Amino acid sequence: MLKFTEHTGIVVPLDISNIDTDIIIPKQFLQKINKIGFGKYLFHDWRYLDSNQLKKNNQFILNKKVYENASILLTKSNFGCGSSREHAVWSLLDYGFKIIIASSFSDIFYNNSFNNKLLLITLQEKVIDFLFDIVKKNLGISFCVNLINSKIIVNKNSFSFELDDSRRFCLLNDLDNIDLTMKFLKEIEIYESKIPDFLLKRREFSSKIV
Protein backbone atom coordinates (compact mmCIF):
# COMPACT_ATOMS: atom_id res chain seq x y z
CA MET A 1 0.00 0.00 0.00
CA LEU A 2 1.21 3.51 -0.79
CA LYS A 3 -0.83 6.00 1.20
CA PHE A 4 -0.60 9.57 -0.02
CA THR A 5 -0.03 11.87 2.94
CA GLU A 6 2.70 14.27 1.83
CA HIS A 7 4.86 14.75 -1.23
CA THR A 8 7.76 17.07 -1.94
CA GLY A 9 8.92 17.38 -5.51
CA ILE A 10 10.40 19.63 -8.19
CA VAL A 11 7.78 21.74 -9.96
CA VAL A 12 7.79 22.14 -13.73
CA PRO A 13 5.78 25.14 -15.00
CA LEU A 14 3.80 24.52 -18.20
CA ASP A 15 2.33 27.93 -18.85
CA ILE A 16 -0.35 26.91 -21.36
CA SER A 17 -4.14 26.68 -21.09
CA ASN A 18 -6.47 24.13 -22.71
CA ILE A 19 -3.94 21.31 -22.98
CA ASP A 20 -6.01 18.44 -24.38
CA THR A 21 -5.53 14.70 -23.97
CA ASP A 22 -4.25 14.32 -27.54
CA ILE A 23 -1.37 16.63 -26.63
CA ILE A 24 -0.78 14.75 -23.38
CA ILE A 25 -0.57 11.48 -25.32
CA PRO A 26 -1.27 11.31 -29.09
CA LYS A 27 -3.75 8.75 -30.40
CA GLN A 28 -1.16 6.55 -32.17
CA PHE A 29 0.17 5.42 -28.78
CA LEU A 30 -3.12 4.14 -27.40
CA GLN A 31 -2.59 0.55 -28.45
CA LYS A 32 -2.16 -1.04 -25.03
CA ILE A 33 -4.76 -1.53 -22.34
CA ASN A 34 -2.46 -1.88 -19.33
CA LYS A 35 -1.14 1.18 -17.54
CA ILE A 36 2.59 0.59 -17.87
CA GLY A 37 4.97 2.17 -20.38
CA PHE A 38 3.07 5.26 -21.49
CA GLY A 39 5.41 7.76 -19.84
CA LYS A 40 7.80 7.81 -22.77
CA TYR A 41 4.98 9.06 -25.00
CA LEU A 42 3.91 11.88 -22.68
CA PHE A 43 3.72 15.19 -24.60
CA HIS A 44 5.32 13.35 -27.55
CA ASP A 45 4.59 16.04 -30.13
CA TRP A 46 6.13 18.73 -27.92
CA ARG A 47 9.06 16.74 -26.54
CA TYR A 48 10.32 15.44 -29.89
CA LEU A 49 10.91 16.86 -33.36
CA ASP A 50 10.42 13.53 -35.15
CA SER A 51 7.98 10.62 -34.93
CA ASN A 52 10.68 8.12 -33.84
CA GLN A 53 11.70 10.17 -30.79
CA LEU A 54 15.29 10.50 -32.03
CA LYS A 55 15.41 14.32 -31.94
CA LYS A 56 14.54 16.03 -28.69
CA ASN A 57 12.96 19.45 -28.76
CA ASN A 58 15.36 21.27 -26.48
CA GLN A 59 13.00 24.23 -26.29
CA PHE A 60 10.31 22.20 -24.55
CA ILE A 61 10.41 22.70 -20.82
CA LEU A 62 10.26 19.02 -19.85
CA ASN A 63 13.52 18.49 -21.73
CA LYS A 64 15.36 21.03 -19.59
CA LYS A 65 17.87 19.32 -17.31
CA VAL A 66 16.65 21.20 -14.24
CA TYR A 67 13.26 19.50 -14.59
CA GLU A 68 14.53 15.95 -15.22
CA ASN A 69 13.10 14.65 -11.95
CA ALA A 70 10.04 16.87 -11.71
CA SER A 71 7.05 15.23 -10.07
CA ILE A 72 4.69 18.19 -9.78
CA LEU A 73 3.19 19.87 -12.85
CA LEU A 74 2.00 23.46 -12.57
CA THR A 75 -0.20 24.52 -15.44
CA LYS A 76 -3.15 26.70 -16.45
CA SER A 77 -6.88 26.30 -17.00
CA ASN A 78 -8.89 23.44 -18.52
CA PHE A 79 -6.06 20.91 -18.37
CA GLY A 80 -7.02 17.49 -19.76
CA CYS A 81 -9.79 18.66 -22.08
CA GLY A 82 -10.62 16.76 -25.27
CA SER A 83 -11.19 13.02 -25.54
CA SER A 84 -11.86 10.84 -22.51
CA ARG A 85 -8.79 8.61 -22.96
CA GLU A 86 -7.59 7.33 -19.60
CA HIS A 87 -4.16 6.83 -21.16
CA ALA A 88 -3.52 10.54 -20.55
CA VAL A 89 -3.51 9.94 -16.81
CA TRP A 90 -1.52 6.73 -17.18
CA SER A 91 1.18 8.57 -19.16
CA LEU A 92 1.49 11.33 -16.56
CA LEU A 93 1.81 8.80 -13.74
CA ASP A 94 4.19 6.56 -15.66
CA TYR A 95 6.40 9.57 -16.42
CA GLY A 96 6.62 10.28 -12.70
CA PHE A 97 4.12 13.02 -11.97
CA LYS A 98 2.36 12.71 -8.61
CA ILE A 99 0.49 16.01 -8.52
CA ILE A 100 -0.93 18.48 -11.04
CA ILE A 101 -1.84 22.01 -9.97
CA ALA A 102 -4.05 24.17 -12.20
CA SER A 103 -6.92 26.62 -12.10
CA SER A 104 -9.30 24.09 -13.66
CA PHE A 105 -9.47 20.61 -15.18
CA SER A 106 -11.86 18.90 -17.57
CA ASP A 107 -14.46 16.80 -15.75
CA ILE A 108 -13.61 13.41 -17.26
CA PHE A 109 -9.88 13.91 -16.83
CA TYR A 110 -10.52 14.92 -13.22
CA ASN A 111 -12.40 11.71 -12.48
CA ASN A 112 -9.90 9.54 -14.36
CA SER A 113 -7.05 11.06 -12.37
CA PHE A 114 -8.48 10.32 -8.95
CA ASN A 115 -9.52 6.83 -10.06
CA ASN A 116 -5.81 6.27 -10.76
CA LYS A 117 -4.58 8.06 -7.61
CA LEU A 118 -3.15 11.12 -9.35
CA LEU A 119 -3.74 14.15 -7.11
CA LEU A 120 -5.17 17.20 -8.86
CA ILE A 121 -5.21 20.51 -7.01
CA THR A 122 -7.43 23.35 -8.17
CA LEU A 123 -6.55 26.89 -7.14
CA GLN A 124 -7.80 30.33 -8.10
CA GLU A 125 -6.14 31.86 -11.16
CA LYS A 126 -4.52 34.64 -9.14
CA VAL A 127 -2.89 32.03 -6.88
CA ILE A 128 -1.77 30.02 -9.91
CA ASP A 129 -0.22 33.16 -11.40
CA PHE A 130 1.57 33.84 -8.11
CA LEU A 131 2.95 30.29 -8.03
CA PHE A 132 4.14 30.66 -11.63
CA ASP A 133 6.05 33.78 -10.62
CA ILE A 134 7.75 31.87 -7.79
CA VAL A 135 8.66 28.89 -9.97
CA LYS A 136 9.98 30.99 -12.83
CA LYS A 137 12.16 33.04 -10.48
CA ASN A 138 13.44 29.93 -8.68
CA LEU A 139 14.23 27.30 -11.32
CA GLY A 140 14.05 23.79 -9.94
CA ILE A 141 12.21 24.82 -6.79
CA SER A 142 10.27 22.14 -4.90
CA PHE A 143 6.79 22.34 -3.41
CA CYS A 144 5.71 20.35 -0.37
CA VAL A 145 2.09 19.19 -0.68
CA ASN A 146 0.50 17.96 2.52
CA LEU A 147 -2.79 16.13 1.99
CA ILE A 148 -3.56 15.75 5.70
CA ASN A 149 -3.93 19.48 6.26
CA SER A 150 -4.57 20.32 2.56
CA LYS A 151 -1.70 22.76 2.17
CA ILE A 152 0.99 23.56 -0.36
CA ILE A 153 4.15 24.88 1.25
CA VAL A 154 6.56 26.92 -0.84
CA ASN A 155 9.49 28.45 0.96
CA LYS A 156 7.74 30.22 3.84
CA ASN A 157 4.41 30.58 2.03
CA SER A 158 1.46 28.28 2.61
CA PHE A 159 -1.51 27.86 0.28
CA SER A 160 -4.64 25.97 1.28
CA PHE A 161 -6.61 23.89 -1.20
CA GLU A 162 -9.96 22.15 -1.08
CA LEU A 163 -10.65 18.55 -1.99
CA ASP A 164 -13.77 16.43 -1.86
CA ASP A 165 -13.79 14.37 1.36
CA SER A 166 -14.32 11.09 -0.48
CA ARG A 167 -11.39 11.61 -2.87
CA ARG A 168 -9.20 12.76 -0.01
CA PHE A 169 -10.11 9.66 2.03
CA CYS A 170 -9.27 7.36 -0.89
CA LEU A 171 -5.85 8.94 -1.47
CA LEU A 172 -4.97 8.96 2.22
CA ASN A 173 -5.87 5.26 2.44
CA ASP A 174 -4.62 4.14 -0.99
CA LEU A 175 -8.07 3.10 -2.19
CA ASP A 176 -9.61 3.13 -5.65
CA ASN A 177 -13.30 2.63 -6.42
CA ILE A 178 -13.01 -1.16 -6.41
CA ASP A 179 -11.08 -1.14 -3.12
CA LEU A 180 -13.74 1.13 -1.65
CA THR A 181 -16.52 -1.23 -2.75
CA MET A 182 -14.71 -4.27 -1.36
CA LYS A 183 -14.63 -2.65 2.07
CA PHE A 184 -18.36 -3.33 2.14
CA LEU A 185 -18.10 -6.93 0.96
CA LYS A 186 -19.73 -8.33 4.09
CA GLU A 187 -22.70 -5.98 3.74
CA ILE A 188 -22.98 -6.85 0.03
CA GLU A 189 -23.02 -10.57 0.82
CA ILE A 190 -25.68 -10.06 3.50
CA TYR A 191 -27.79 -8.06 1.03
CA GLU A 192 -27.45 -10.69 -1.67
CA SER A 193 -28.34 -13.47 0.77
CA LYS A 194 -31.68 -11.75 1.34
CA ILE A 195 -32.66 -11.56 -2.33
CA PRO A 196 -35.89 -13.58 -2.70
CA ASP A 197 -35.58 -16.88 -4.58
CA PHE A 198 -38.15 -15.88 -7.17
CA LEU A 199 -35.93 -12.95 -8.22
CA LEU A 200 -32.92 -15.20 -8.54
CA LYS A 201 -34.94 -17.62 -10.66
CA ARG A 202 -36.17 -14.75 -12.80
CA ARG A 203 -32.54 -13.72 -13.33
CA GLU A 204 -31.68 -17.27 -14.43
CA PHE A 205 -34.66 -17.29 -16.78
CA SER A 206 -33.65 -13.94 -18.31
CA SER A 207 -30.12 -15.17 -18.95
CA LYS A 208 -31.46 -18.18 -20.84
CA ILE A 209 -33.57 -16.17 -23.24
CA VAL A 210 -30.86 -13.64 -24.19
Side-chain angles (χ1 to χ4, degrees):
M1 297 211 18
L2 185 60
K3 297 181 180 180
F4 193 119
T5 53
E6 183 177 285
H7 175 76
T8 299
I10 295 173
V11 183
V12 55
L14 191 54
D15 196 354
I16 303 172
S17 296
N18 301 311
I19 295 177
D20 64 38
T21 50
D22 197 50
I23 289 295
I24 297 172
I25 182 166
K27 58 185 180 303
Q28 64 268 33
F29 302 117
L30 311 183
Q31 298 173 355
K32 295 193 301 180
I33 56 173
N34 62 49
K35 303 179 181 181
I36 307 301
F38 288 100
K40 60 184 176 183
Y41 305 122
L42 178 68
F43 296 123
H44 166 85
D45 292 348
W46 288 351
R47 285 167 66 197
Y48 298 96
L49 299 174
D50 65 313
S51 59
N52 295 320
Q53 300 193 336
L54 298 176
K55 299 177 183 176
K56 277 188 177 181
N57 176 8
N58 293 323
Q59 300 304 310
F60 184 54
I61 198 158
L62 272 190
N63 289 333
K64 305 288 184 185
K65 190 171 180 58
V66 68
Y67 298 120
E68 271 184 354
N69 299 310
S71 58
I72 300 175
L73 178 64
L74 176 66
T75 186
K76 289 295 183 74
S77 63
N78 201 28
F79 186 83
C81 57
S83 82
S84 61
R85 64 190 68 169
E86 196 170 7
H87 305 69
V89 176
W90 297 348
S91 63
L92 287 158
L93 285 167
D94 194 61
Y95 184 86
F97 283 114
K98 309 290 185 189
I99 301 163
I100 303 178
I101 304 170
S103 57
S104 64
F105 300 91
S106 81
D107 290 342
I108 295 176
F109 178 82
Y110 193 85
N111 288 325
N112 285 341
S113 294
F114 281 98
N115 286 340
N116 287 278
K117 303 171 186 175
L118 174 63
L119 174 58
L120 304 188
I121 296 175
T122 308
L123 297 172
Q124 293 181 350
E125 284 194 16
K126 62 181 181 182
V127 179
I128 293 292
D129 290 341
F130 184 72
L131 292 177
F132 265 100
D133 285 343
I134 293 176
V135 173
K136 288 179 179 179
K137 291 175 181 173
N138 301 273
L139 299 183
I141 192 173
S142 292
F143 286 2
C144 175
V145 177
N146 187 301
L147 189 57
I148 295 175
N149 57 26
S150 299
K151 288 189 182 298
I152 302 171
I153 301 162
V154 189
N155 293 334
K156 296 181 180 178
N157 300 303
S158 177
F159 305 88
S160 297
F161 62 88
E162 295 183 357
L163 188 63
D164 174 83
D165 287 343
S166 175
R167 299 187 190 284
R168 187 166 174 274
F169 175 83
C170 286
L171 284 173
L172 286 172
N173 293 281
D174 192 29
L175 300 172
D176 58 22
N177 286 337
I178 295 175
D179 298 326
L180 200 58
T181 301
M182 295 305 288
K183 286 176 70 68
F184 299 96
L185 180 59
K186 187 175 180 180
E187 286 83 354
I188 293 170
E189 289 176 342
I190 292 172
Y191 171 79
E192 290 189 336
S193 70
K194 295 179 180 178
I195 296 176
D197 288 344
F198 77 93
L199 286 178
L200 292 175
K201 289 178 180 177
R202 186 174 69 179
R203 190 186 305 161
E204 291 172 5
F205 176 75
S206 299
S207 66
K208 288 178 181 176
I209 63 174
V210 171

